Each structure stands twice: as C-alpha cells, then as structure tokens.
Amino acid sequence: MPRRRSPSSSSPTAPRNRTPQPVRVRRRSFGDFVKAFLAFVALLVLLVGVPFALAVTAGWPFPETFEPMEWLKQDISVGTFLSILTFVVWLAWAQFTACVLVEMKAALSGVGVPGRVPGAGPSQLLARQLVAALLLVGATAASFTPGLGQLGQSIEGNQRPTVAAAQQTPGLFAQQQEQAAGTAAALAEQASHAEAAAGSSATQRGDTKFYRIQPPEGRHHDSLWEIAERHLGDGRRYKEIFDLNKDRAQPDGSRLSEASLIRPGWIMEMPGDARGGDLVEMPDEAPEVSPEVRQQIRDYDRTGDHARGGGGGSGADQVSVPEQRPAPAPAPANDHSGHQQERQHATPAAQDSSAFGLPEALLAAPLLAAGLLGALGHRRRQALWQSAFAGVGRRRGMEPPTPAGDALDAQDALLVGADPEGVRLLDRSLRGLAASLAAESRPLPIVYAAWLGGDDLHLQLAQPSGKPPAPWRHGEDETLWTLAKEDAARYEDDGTAAPYPGLVSLGTLDGSRLLLNLESVPGLVTLSGSEADRAAVFASVAAELATNGWSDRMTITLVGFGEDLTPLAPNRLRHLDGIEALIETMEAETRQRRGALGAAGHDSVLTGRTGPAQHTRWAPHLVLLAAEPSAEEAVTLAELAADAGRLGIGYLVGTEGRELPGAAWEMEITGDGRLLAPLLGLELDAQLLPAAQLHAVVELFVEADPERGPDGPGDTPPFLVDISEQGRPAVYARLVGPYEIIGLEAPDDERSALLHEALALLLLHREGVHPRVLASALWPRGVPDDVREALVERLRDWLGTDPDGTPRLGTDATGRLVLAPSVVSDLDVLRSLYHEATQGKGVDSRAVRGRLLTDALVLVRGPLLAGRPEGRYRWLTHEIVDAQLPLLVADTGLALADFHLVKDRAEKAIEALNAALRTAPADERLWNELLRATHALGEPERLTTLAADLIGRSGARGLPPRTEALLDELLPGWRDTVAAAG
C-alpha cells in the first residue's frame, strides 16, 4: 500500500511523541539447545516410553472379547482396581498425546490459537511448553498472525533454496520475548545508525551486502521491519532497506514498490553497516550460495543506483506507488476525497486559517462523516414525521432545534467532511461483486481489508479465489482484486445483501483509506496506547460501524466505554457492564452461530450471505472491548476468537501494552495520531474521534431524538418575516417552485448558477452558514481558499447594501455568513404566515386566520427549487427541508379546510386540500380529510370516484389502515363498489 511521505527514520532529529516498541529477537543460545533437547527427551518418554511400559507390564487397555454381562458377574478384586487404574493411565496418555498434536498443529500452521482439548488443563499447558521449547531452536513457534501486507500470498512449490537458514522470530509466548529499548535509547541508536549509514554510502562497492527473503516455513512471513531488526539493530530502519531496493527488478520480474509487500526469493541490498550470518557480500565469492543464486545477486547488483547513474541517495523524500494501488492524489484545500492530505501537508497556520475552528478529526474522516450525517438526517425526519402524525399528545411543530457551540461546529464539520460519493462507491461495488459471484454460483472470498483511493477500490483477499468477475480485475497478485471508479458506475441498487458489513476505517496512507474487515480476522485485534488515544480510536470505529452506509444489520457490543453512544444507533449499539458478562454472552452467541451454520449447511457466514436467506441471517456481531482483560479472561477471549472469522464475529480489544494470547493483528496508537502495526507493514494517520467531538456529535443526535417529548421540534420558525405592508423586502427569492429572484440584477452568465445556488443555501439557513460549508456544497470535490473567498466577495457585491449602508451579506461573531432581514424567500413568508395564522393574530380573529392561510397556500407553486439544473444542489440530500415543506403545506391545507368546513363550505375545503396534495401527495392526513369533505357533499358517486383515485395512488402498497377504516365508516361496501366502478 502507498506509504505516507515522512522523514527518514534514521534521522536522529525525527520528531515523534511515542516510539514504537518492536520485538527484539535474541539469537539461539546453548541454553536453548539444552531446553530443546530436554523437551525432546520428555516428549519421547511421555509419548513413546509410557505406552511401551504399559503394554509390557499391564497389557493393552482393550479386552480381547466384548462381554459386558460377564464382566459384571466377576468378583471385585485387587486385579479389578489395577485394571481400572491402568485404563485411567492409558486415557491420560491419550489425552496428553491429543494435546501435543493440537499444539504442534497450531504452532506449525501459524493460524489462530490452539484449540482446547476437553478436560486437558495442565496436560495441555505442559504439552504447549514442551512443544514451544522444542521448536525454539528449529524453525520457531508459529506466529498467530498473517501480515496485512502479505495476506493470502502463497509460496510457490518450486521455491529455490534460500541463502541461509531463517533467523529466529518471535515464538508462541509473546510474554517471553524481550522488549526494545526506551525512547531515549532508541533516539541515541538512531543517531548512531544515521552516522553509520552516511559513512557506508561512501564505501566501495565491494562492501555491498545482500539478503534473500526467506520463505515462511514454520513461521510468519518475513518483513523489512524484522530484517532491519536482525541486521541493523533497529526495526525502524526498514525504510533504508526499502529506499535501496524500491523499483528494482527482482529475479521473478516483479519490483518492490511497497515496504509491506515482499516475497520469498527476492533479493534486498542492505546498508553497509548490516551484520548477520545470512548476509552475502559481493563481489566476493560466497561458497555457501548456489551458483544460480550468486548469479541472481550479481544481476540484481547491476540494477542499483550506481548502475543507473543515480546519486545513491536514501530517497527518503520520494514515494513509489504501485500501479494497482490507490495513488496519492493532489491535495486541494477542501477536497472531500482527501481531507487527510490537507492535514498532513498544510502548516499549522494554514490549517487554522482554512478550518475556521472546525473539528479536524471529523474533517479528516469522510466516510465516518457521511454515515453520521445520513443517520442524523434520518433521525430528524423521524422526529418531523412523528410530530406530524402523532395520534396522542400536543403537536410539537416542525422546526428542529438549531445547534449551537460545539454541536454547531460538529455539524458544519460533518457537512464539509462527508464524502457520500465514496460511501456510494464502496456500497454499490461490494454489493455488485456479491451479486456477480452469486450469479456464477461462487462463494464470497474472505476479505481482510479494503483500500479506498481517489480512483480505485482494492480488496485484500485472505487467499487466491480465482478470477474476479468483471469489471473487477486482479491487482499485483491473485490476492488483490481491484475496481476502477468509472467501472463501478455500472452497478445499481439491486437489493443484494451487504457482503462485508464489518469493514471499518482505520486511517490513511497518502490519501488512500484503509478499511479493516473486523469480522474476518482469525483472532483478536489488539490496540495499545494511552487510554485517551485508544478511546478516540474506539469511538471512531464504533460510530462508523453504527452509521455506515455499506451494511444492512449488525450488532455492536461495547464494553468499558461509549455509554453515551447509544443515540447514534439504538438498534445496533448495546453496552455490557463488564468482561464477565461479555464472555457469557459471546460463548452463547458462538455456540448458536456454530449450530446455525451447521444446520444450514454453510461453512461460514459468507456462504450464507449469498443464499436465499441473505436478508435475514448472518449479520455480523462486532465486539469493542476497551477494558483490558485479565490473563484468564484473555485466554478465554482468544479461544472464542479462534473460530470467530467464519462465524461473522470480530473482536477489537484495548490493552495498556501487554501482549494478549491469540492476537492476530497488533496495533498501537501514538500520541501524535499515528496507528502503527510494524509486523503488518502499516503506518497510518489514524482516524480518531476525540472525546470532545464525540460528545458534540452525540448532542446532535440527542436533540434530534423523536422520543424527546414536547421539547422536541418547535413551533416557531427560526426566521419570521414582517408580513405587513411596511415589511416589503429589498430582495425576494421564490424557492417553492421554479427558482426566481426579484430585486437584483441578473449576474453574468458564467457565474450566475454558482451565485444563485449559494444564495439558495443561505436562504435555507437563516442561522448562518460556515464559509467552508458553503464551499463544500458548491464544490464537493474541493476548492482552494482564494476561490472560495472570491465567491463570497462576489456574492456580497451582487446582493449589495441596504439604504443605511449595511451589507446584505454579513458575518456573525463565529465567522458564519448570514443574510440581512431585507433578503427574504417565499419559504420564509410561508412559514411566517402559517405561524401568524395558528399562533399569532389568527388565533383571535377568524377572518384574519382565513386570509393568512389562503395567502400561504397561494405561495405554493410546486416542489422546492423545481427544475433546478442537473448536477447542482446536491447538498439538498443533507437537508430536511424536503420533508419540512410537504408537512408545512399539508398543515396549511388542513387548517384552511377546517376553516371552511366549519361554515359548511365543503367545495372550498376540497379546493384547499387538492392544492396541498400537489405538493404533499403522500400525506395520509390530506387523503382522510378529503374523504370527509367529499362525504359532506352528500354525493356517493363522487366519493366512490375519489376512493378509486386514492386506491390508484396507493399502488402496490394499498391504502393505509386508517384510510381503509375511514372508508368503511363513510362508504360501507366500498370495496365492491370501487371494483364495479373500475
């Protein structure tokens, strides 16, 4: 994956808040060989000597004949007890043998945590220790973790011999591994290494050293971090190896383009100060190397900088991106697809000037922001509809509360940072892939991660899964499937179930966003770091999982944090009090899922998601555990997580730094916002949701909760117009229907569309609009600051000033753009007329109420901004005015109809209701009141015709239950009558 440009880690002055702690590998000692020999002897005695001694002295445990009744008739004697004891010893031997086999399989496979042998306990612990000691001097005990950079890479059967035996790697028991030096010592080491590296660049070519990548036989894949740790003394110096070898042709024809992607058989040129027995110096002869490999190294040596005429520099300021990977995109100032780039490259002063105080974390999380914004809009619509159609209680109005303070800043940051196009690309691409595979009767491949860049989507598979369906294609190898953005446009919403709902953003590298598939991880994912930093990662993960747009259903269990997160998604999020309750819950969940998969004949939830029950079963269950478990609890969680990948269960566990058993992927969050996973080859700019911003987001959802009661949506509009003759506005915009502006000269044609759209946005937000919100609405793909400022000045000039010299476009104390009261829209007038008729002068005067309601309904000329240019006004998808306007018009029509029905003017009432139905055709309240008004005419034929018309409008859904009940009351037998008329 593309690596973020950063200073070389060999620099002694490289700033960092926290130094990653790599595992320091010690070499095999004489004591290791002694331990291994004793372990071998112990295993030989226990596995071979014990059964041989039992067979010689006590005989085999199985009788020669099977006669249970005869056995029961025999006398109980000392021999009987000895036979029972012998059988128990045989049984203990068999159990211990099973433990050894289980531990050997887990150690050699390197996948998952060893399974539990029933009732083994101490026997399995003894077997584990003996197996680990034996393997310690062999290939090494297997790691639990496949590296993310090498996910699914296969080893060719014709792999050539390596230059030397593999260096020892960490074993099964992470607790036994030595920890790296502290931060101060690491800095001193880096300084010395930098001097040595600088000196080595001036040495003769005869001192050049090479290393050949080792195959993962009995251990995890080799990585540049481990090579640097073994031969340079510091894993952080892996970048030096990468810089020396990037883009050079390897023996198999491929090239090194990412530090996390290296393959067995590749040759690495090493810095001059590299040390170690498995290095080869050239051009000196190396008799331990085969002639074929020696020739490969000579050929590779000719591709170095010295052969190409380069300067041989470190190249730390260059970034090489493979063709199939998301390429680092340019970083314009307000780019929705690359907000992270802006944060990386802008100076602090530039960030302050361009952000205007908006929360940076939300600006840099486009997928999270899009999910939160969509969920917030849905919640506000729910509050409106519940307010409008509530059958009990006082009507609460249609005006959601206007956020203030941190909540307002958070809302603006969501509007600026959201990337709904990216969410749509990810969602449709994944569902389209699932539909294509289902059409070919192929199962879904296991996906560990996804990379979402500016132009492409990349899926990292656990193993090769054949040829991807078009338009997907293979990337660098068969474990990488790639889809170009333009090819994804062919997918449409077809109702396919979400195949990978457990994908969640972790951070970015050069503008490409990494999403980890939590439910597919073969074990635990652990996160270390300070408590506050871990909490910010957990909050981001939980919020995105709860609101993302590429999943259908899921359960997210939170333990140890996030008690205030429930308002984000009450149907998805749940909290448990402690780890004990979590273990009890997940043991039951694991048993249930295993049984359900077996009963359905599926080997994993991925198979079930492409079957006929895809919409009702196999939703993921993701566990986010911020509280560090005890040693015993950690073992139990590791056992549960060992088989969780195929069950659709994922675990993210926080730790203070202690290594947990069964940890498949280990990550660390640093104080400067970096997410590190050295053995996976990952170094990301982490996606975070700090506590202050989390609370501000939650406040938005709490205020929009439809269950809040009478203090929910208000009755008073945010902006009231003087509807008297003296209140004639200077600028009047007609938004309800075709867009027209009265009182301003038409701007020049080239900028007319932009200025009209900007004015419409300001008119719909009388509380003020943040400049960055305005810019992101008009230019969703980003715009430089100077262009945004030029637009604001041009808009200010176009609107002009009031007679007293006050600009009609001003700025409030928070820097937000606000319109003067002299700039008015017909929507403002409509709201003011309805408010005055129902809560102002119209309350005490029937004549005034009728006039005001009639004037309000006359303003309605159609839907909001009817006939607007295609491709513009996309920001309306984030607004709730499309829900507010129909409700407001329906309320006005109902109030005017009631005004007329009181005086038995049914025709006038019907006219008002039909006018309202043109803007709110789906409002059931208008249908029902229209039926009552028509019934008041006393013309059954007309009522029958209206009923038939309403049935036609309802379509396949049919009439709402309340409308059917009303027809039963007003027109008994209407079903037969309407059918006959039809």
Side-chain angles (χ1 to χ4, degrees), residues 427 430-431 434 444 496-501 550-552 609 614-615:
D427 182 45
L430 295 178
R431 294 180 193 265
L444 289 168
T496 303
Y500 304 110
W550 54 87
S551 65
D552 298 321
R609 284 181 188 153
Q614 56 178 325
H615 292 288

Side-chain angles (χ1 to χ4, degrees), residues 673-929:
R674 305 273 291 283
L675 192 67
L676 307 178
L679 295 181
L680 305 180
L682 291 178
E683 185 177 338
L684 308 172
D685 284 308
Q687 179 171 294
L688 306 172
L689 189 55
Q693 298 175 28
L694 173 63
H695 294 156
V697 169
V698 171
E699 182 181 343
L700 291 173
F701 279 81
V702 171
E703 291 295 326
D705 188 354
E707 304 294 336
R708 280 176 58 82
D711 58 342
D715 296 312
T716 303
F719 175 71
L720 289 174
V721 177
D722 183 0
I723 57 177
S724 65
E725 287 295 330
Q726 293 75 24
R728 185 177 299 275
V731 178
Y732 182 68
R734 305 177 73 182
L735 305 179
V736 185
Y739 191 3
E740 300 176 13
I741 298 179
I742 301 172
L744 289 178
E745 294 183 2
D748 61 74
D749 294 338
E750 294 181 356
R751 298 187 175 93
S752 176
L754 272 178
L755 293 175
H756 277 74
E757 187 173 357
L759 179 57
L761 178 61
L762 290 167
L763 285 167
L764 293 177
H765 290 277
R766 303 303 304 230
E767 72 279 7
V769 176
H770 196 287
R772 291 198 67 181
V773 173
L774 179 65
S776 65
L778 300 179
W779 295 283
R781 296 182 61 84
V783 61
D785 291 350
D786 56 345
V787 176
R788 179 189 66 224
E789 294 167 0
L791 171 75
V792 173
E793 289 304 316
R794 194 173 294 114
L795 182 61
R796 183 176 284 115
D797 293 341
W798 180 45
L799 291 175
T801 60
D802 286 332
D804 61 357
T806 304
R808 291 171 183 157
L809 178 61
T811 305
D812 65 9
T814 66
R816 289 172 170 81
L817 302 172
V818 292
L819 292 173
S822 59
V823 182
V824 172
S825 73
D826 55 354
L827 183 57
D828 296 327
V829 177
L830 176 61
R831 286 168 169 164
S832 300
L833 288 170
Y834 177 76
H835 179 267
E836 191 69 20
T838 57
Q839 299 180 53
K841 297 178 181 179
V843 175
D844 300 324
S845 172
R846 172 178 168 80
V848 171
R849 182 166 71 255
R851 178 176 56 82
L852 293 174
L853 291 173
T854 301
D855 291 346
L857 207 55
V858 169
L859 291 174
V860 180
R861 301 174 298 119
L864 187 74
L865 295 169
R868 56 183 177 266
E870 185 178 357
R872 290 200 171 273
Y873 299 87
R874 294 182 179 179
W875 46 269
L876 281 173
T877 58
H878 301 317
E879 305 286 340
I880 63 169
V881 67
D882 62 331
Q884 288 176 300
L885 179 59
L887 290 177
L888 176 60
V889 173
D891 283 350
T892 304
L894 290 170
L896 186 56
D898 180 69
F899 172 82
H900 290 303
L901 286 174
V902 170
K903 294 296 184 178
D904 295 327
R905 295 195 291 262
E907 287 290 356
K908 289 288 186 181
I910 292 173
E911 182 181 346
L913 293 168
N914 282 326
L917 277 168
R918 285 192 287 271
T919 300
D923 197 308
E924 181 187 355
R925 300 171 302 159
L926 292 175
W927 291 18
N928 295 345
E929 201 61 29

Side-chain angles (χ1 to χ4, degrees), residues 79-104:
T80 304
F81 284 106
L82 290 177
S83 298
I84 295 174
L85 181 62
T86 301
F87 180 78
V88 171
V89 176
W90 275 107
L91 187 63
W93 172 83
Q95 184 188 59
F96 179 77
T97 302
C99 294
V100 173
L101 294 176
V102 168
E103 295 297 328
M104 288 290 291

